[in-house]
Each structure stands twice: as C-alpha cells, then as structure tokens.
C-alpha cells in the first residue's frame, strides 16, 4: 500500500471540491496549451489557410483532452490512474513537419497512426522488460526527461529564439518576477494557497507581459477573427496516406516518446508514495497504452501527435495536488475548448517569459526526483559507472552534437535524443557489468 507523502493536499484518489477541481483543471490547461503554437506553425508552413490551422489546433486539443482522461482511468489494462496530462508533443514535431512537407496532412495523419501503434506494442512488452529497469535506471530516465526540458526552459526564460541571439533583458525580468512569485508561494504559501501558485504566477506573468509590450494586441489578431463556437472542419476526413521511407523515423520517435512517458509515469508513482522503491511495471504499461491510444487518436481525427507532459506532472507535485480527478477535469475542459476556437487561439499565445518561468519551475522538481530515485537504490561501484557513463555521454549529445556526426547509419537511431542514448547505455552497461559480477562470483 503506497504511503501518502506529507506534502500532498489532494492525493491520487482524493476528489477535490468542485470549485478547486475547476481551478486546478484550468491551471493544467494553461500549461497544456503552451505547445498549441506547434500545430499553428506546422499548418502555416505547408501553406494551410486560417480555417485549416484552426481545425488542426481544435482536433489536437480534443485528442490531448481524450488522452488525459484515458491516462487518469484505471480500467483493466488501460490507464495508469495518475494525473499525467497530454499536450501537443514537441517530441513528434520535426517528424510530423517532414511528413506534412512530403505528403500534406494526410501523410502526417497516417504516420502518426503508425507511431501510436508502435507504442501500443511497446506498452504490451513492458511488463516482460522489468529486469531492464531497476530503480537507478528509472531514476536516470526521470533525470534525462528533466534535462531535455532545460534548453527549452532556459531559452524561453532568457527570451532567446535562435542560437547567437542576445539575451532579452525585459523578457528575463518578467520571467524572473514570475518565477519568484511561483517559488515564493510554494515555499511560504499557507494552507491551500500553494495549490494555485502556478496559476497566480501565470496571471502575474501575463499582466507584466502586457504592461511591458511583450504581449501585444496583434498577437491576438487570429483570436479576435476566430468564431466563438465552431465545429472542426472535417473535409477529407478519410484521407490517410503512408510511406515506408518514413517508417524508421516514426518508430524511433515513438520509442523515444514512450521512454519519456515511462519516466513521467515513474515520477507520478514517486510523488504519490513516500516509500516508493521500484516502478509498478504493469501500471506503467497501462499508462503507456493510454498514451499510445492518444497518439493514435490524434492521427485518426487529424491532430498533431501528442505526448505526456513532464511539466504538468512536476507541477502537480509542486502544488501538492495529484488527484486523478483533476485529469478528468482538465481533459474534459480541453475537449470542450476544442469547440471554442477563439479560446484556443488565445491560449496558444502564452508569453515567452511565462512559459520559461513555468518550465524552469517544474524542472527543478523533476531533477531532484530523478536524483532521489537514483540515490535511493543505494550506491556501489557498478551503479556509479552505469549511471555516470550514461549521463556523461547522454549530455555530450546535447552539448556537442557534432561529436557524433560520423556515427554509422545503423547506430544513428540511438543518437536521436539524449534520453534515448542515456537509457540505452544504462540498460546495456547494467546488464554487462551485472553479468561480469555474476561470473566472478561463480568462479
């Protein structure tokens, strides 16, 4: 039986009062909306008109809302029963853009469906792979998921959009004040005020962004032009195509996404159990199945592929509200907002400093959780090298990617992300060094 952590106000099976449920759901929606700019960029880049942009954004919101609800379920093999929301997946963006360039939205949809089906297979094999993921490696996965958020969070915090651009002092100031507000409420907030620290910080950040001109009326132009209520356009709804040449790319991206969700679900377990020691692989398999169905739904209805949100999981830990009923609230509201294009357009223009402050805030919790999981399993020489070498080479991929330009093509999939490389290295080293210890003991 999991031991409830002292800092939780609403645990995983607690049902918050209706008003709190609504506000907490809205808080998660604001963070889930931070990546809605991705479908806007994708459809615009391939020459789509405003109606098509609006439709893809709406369908993406509906798919993510459905995935959030499925994740919060605990229905047989489906769902983890945790608050682990879905958002438009940055992990899939580059591959989705490639598919859209080559074959338009029908090809993007077809390859997204394939990615979802690949993760379905992965979720079914996870229970048989438990021996590959002892606590120190699961902690490494959580830590590397957090590490993957650092470049995004830091660039948004500093107001930098591309490499070599100078730091935007005004953006930095607004992001710093927003972050300090969130941190202050989290440390010194009394009673249930801590629940809404991120929401209060967001509101302050929006106000400061408008006062300083970082958020302008022109950014709301599309929102003003969009209808208040509308059904998504379903023209060419059954146009789905497929290309074998894109299959390896989407298999790799899907596997990487599954590993990221694996880490997010481990974090969900840890924040809900004071005495957590090892992952519940069966439950995580149910969560991965829910995530895979969300990706598949995105492809079927015509949205951009989704992903579980590490930021939302960390925010639930930071606020002390991890109730899965918040997942039902946030998911239901996100689906509903998919039929309100004006609201969706407003949500998609979150100011850069606000986004940066939130990502930095929640990443702090993820980093510490990953370290705690690694150290909680006890330290020995073998684990030192398994974790140390994996982190070193995983980080080197992000810090100096040019080091790996000469990697043979058949090894290239391992170097698609630092998370994939670090996890693969850790699993391989753990098995090799563990086998060596057994042979030595036997001799």
């Amino acid at each position: 039986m999991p031991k409830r952590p002292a800092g939780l106000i609403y645990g995983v099976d607690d049902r918050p009062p209706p008003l709190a449920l609504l506000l907490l759901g809205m808080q998660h929606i604001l963070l889930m909306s931070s990546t809605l700019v991705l479908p806007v960029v994708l459809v615009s880049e391939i020459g789509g008109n405003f109606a098509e942009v609006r439709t893809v954004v709406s369908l993406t919101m509906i798919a993510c809302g459905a995935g959030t609800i499925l994740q919060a379920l605990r229905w047989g093999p489906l769902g983890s029963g945790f608050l682990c929301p879905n958002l438009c997946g940055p992990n899939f963006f580059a591959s989705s853009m490639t598919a859209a360039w080559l074959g338009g939205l029908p090809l993007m949809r077809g390859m997204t469906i394939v990615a979802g089906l690949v993760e379905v297979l992965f979720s079914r094999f996870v229970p048989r792979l438990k021996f590959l993921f002892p606590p120190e490696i699961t902690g490494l996965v959580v830590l590397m998921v957090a590490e993957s958020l650092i470049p995004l969070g830091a660039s948004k915090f500093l107001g930098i959009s591309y490499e070599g651009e100078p730091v935007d002092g005004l953006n930095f100031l607004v992001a710093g004040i927003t972050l300090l507000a969130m941190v202050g409420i989290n440390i010194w907030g009394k009673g249930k005020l801590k629940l809404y620290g991120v929401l209060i910080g967001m509101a302050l950040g929006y106000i400061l962004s408008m006062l300083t001109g970082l958020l302008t009326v022109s950014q709301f132009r599309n929102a003003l032009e969009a209808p208040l209520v509308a059904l998504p356009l379903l023209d060419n709804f059954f146009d789905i195509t497929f290309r074998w040449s894109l299959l390896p790319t989407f298999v790799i991206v899907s596997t990487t996404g599954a590993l990221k969700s694996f880490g997010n679900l481990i974090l969900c377990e840890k924040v809900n159990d004071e005495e957590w020691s090892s992952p519940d692989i069966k439950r995580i398999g149910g969560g991965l199945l829910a995530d895979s169905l969300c990706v598949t739904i995105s492809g079927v209805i015509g949205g951009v592929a989704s992903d579980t949100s590490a930021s939302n999981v960390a925010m639930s830990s930071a606020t002390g509200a991890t109730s899965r009923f918040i997942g039902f609230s946030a998911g239901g509201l996100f689906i509903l907002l998919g039929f309100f294009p004006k609201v969706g357009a407003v949500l998609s223009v979150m100011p850069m400093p606000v986004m940066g402050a939130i990502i930095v805030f929640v990443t702090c919790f993820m980093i510490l959780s990953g370290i705690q999981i690694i150290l909680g399993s006890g330290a020995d020489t073998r684990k030192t090298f398994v974790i140390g070498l994996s982190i070193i080479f995983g980080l080197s991929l992000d810090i100096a990617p040019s080091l790996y330009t000469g990697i043979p093509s058949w090894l290239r999939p391992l170097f698609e992300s630092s998370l994939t490389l670090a996890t693969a290295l850790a699993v391989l080293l753990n098995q090799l060094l563990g086998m060596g210890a057994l042979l030595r003991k036997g001799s």
Side-chain angles (χ1 to χ4, degrees):
M1 177 68 70
K3 182 180 179 181
R4 181 186 178 117
L8 282 190
I9 299 172
Y10 296 120
V12 66
D13 290 315
D14 294 338
R15 190 190 297 265
L19 180 58
L21 198 60
L22 177 63
L23 291 174
L24 291 169
M26 289 174 60
Q27 187 169 245
H28 279 277
I29 280 175
L30 288 169
L31 194 50
M32 292 160 67
S33 302
S34 62
T35 58
L36 287 179
V37 67
L38 296 180
V40 175
V41 171
L42 188 149
V43 181
S44 300
E45 283 295 311
I46 62 172
N49 56 39
F50 178 63
E52 289 174 323
V53 171
R54 173 168 58 83
T55 295
V56 174
V57 170
S58 295
L59 294 173
T60 300
M61 293 175 72
I62 292 169
C64 291
T68 302
I69 292 172
L70 290 174
Q71 193 65 250
L73 292 172
R74 194 75 199 279
W75 188 20
L78 177 61
S80 64
F82 286 126
L83 173 58
C84 187
N86 283 81
L87 47 66
C88 179
N91 187 56
F92 284 93
F93 182 70
S95 301
S96 297
M97 178 67 82
T98 300
W101 271 113
L102 292 174
L105 295 180
L107 182 58
M108 183 197 76
R109 293 174 63 187
M111 300 314 299
T112 300
I113 293 171
V114 169
L117 296 178
V118 168
E119 191 176 352
V120 169
L121 293 175
F122 185 87
S123 71
R124 296 303 85 200
F125 280 103
V126 161
R128 299 185 182 185
L129 302 176
K130 182 177 181 178
F131 71 97
L132 296 177
F133 296 97
E136 62 271 17
I137 293 182
T138 58
L140 172 71
V141 173
V142 172
L143 185 61
M144 293 307 296
V145 170
E147 185 275 333
S148 69
L149 294 175
I150 292 174
L152 176 64
S155 62
K156 299 295 184 186
F157 196 93
L158 299 174
I160 296 174
S161 300
Y162 54 86
E163 190 174 349
E165 185 180 11
V167 173
D168 186 324
L170 195 58
N171 191 102
F172 176 75
L173 179 63
V174 173
I177 295 172
T178 303
L179 178 62
L180 287 175
M182 295 177 186
V183 171
I185 293 172
N186 194 261
I187 295 175
W188 299 298
K190 300 294 184 181
K192 295 184 178 180
L193 180 64
K194 179 181 175 182
L195 288 169
Y196 309 109
V198 175
L199 192 61
I200 294 169
M202 279 183 179
L204 176 62
Y206 266 91
I207 292 170
L208 291 175
S209 296
M210 287 187 286
L211 292 176
T212 57
L214 293 173
L215 184 62
T216 63
V217 175
S218 62
Q219 291 176 271
F220 289 99
R221 185 175 296 114
N222 286 342
L224 296 173
E225 294 174 355
L228 179 61
V229 182
L231 291 174
L233 300 176
L234 298 178
D235 295 340
N236 305 316
F237 183 73
F238 294 104
D239 287 355
I240 298 175
T241 57
F242 171 82
R243 284 197 186 185
W244 284 103
S245 60
L246 292 177
L247 181 60
T249 299
F250 276 84
V251 168
I252 293 164
V253 171
S254 178
T255 304
T256 302
L259 288 173
K260 179 184 175 185
S261 295
F262 188 93
N264 291 339
L265 292 166
I266 289 170
L267 185 59
C268 287
E269 287 190 350
K270 186 180 182 302
V271 299
N272 284 288
D273 186 358
E274 186 73 32
E275 298 177 342
W276 184 91
S277 59
S278 61
D280 182 342
I281 296 295
K282 183 176 180 181
R283 188 167 190 171
I284 288 176
L288 292 176
L289 179 59
D291 183 44
S292 66
L293 290 179
C294 182
V295 174
T296 307
I297 290 170
S298 297
V300 169
I301 68 175
V304 178
S306 63
D307 201 0
T308 56
S309 170
S311 302
N312 284 84
V313 174
M315 184 174 73
S316 69
S317 172
T319 58
T322 62
S323 169
R324 64 195 183 98
F325 292 98
I326 299 171
F328 296 138
S329 170
L333 287 170
F334 218 46
I335 291 173
L336 184 63
L337 291 177
F339 298 96
F340 288 81
K342 192 179 291 292
V343 178
V346 170
L347 290 175
S348 67
V349 292
M350 180 180 290
M352 187 181 288
V354 176
M355 197 181 305
I358 295 169
I359 294 173
V360 170
F361 176 76
V362 300
T363 301
C364 293
F365 289 88
M366 294 187 66
I367 290 173
L368 188 60
S369 292
I371 293 172
Q372 287 175 334
I373 295 171
I374 292 170
L375 297 179
S377 64
D380 58 32
T381 307
R382 180 177 62 83
K383 292 177 184 177
T384 298
F385 287 109
V386 168
I387 301 302
L389 290 171
S390 302
I391 290 177
I392 288 169
F393 287 100
L395 292 180
S396 71
L397 182 61
D398 286 336
I399 296 170
S402 60
L403 294 173
Y404 301 98
T405 53
I407 291 295
S409 58
W410 62 274
L411 275 178
R412 178 57 54 189
L414 291 177
F415 294 82
E416 292 295 325
S417 75
S418 57
L419 171 62
T420 303
L421 178 59
T423 304
L425 270 178
V427 170
L428 178 61
L429 289 171
N430 188 55
Q431 295 303 308
L432 287 176
L433 298 182
M435 188 181 302
L438 289 174
L439 290 174
R440 182 179 177 184
K441 184 177 180 181
S443 63

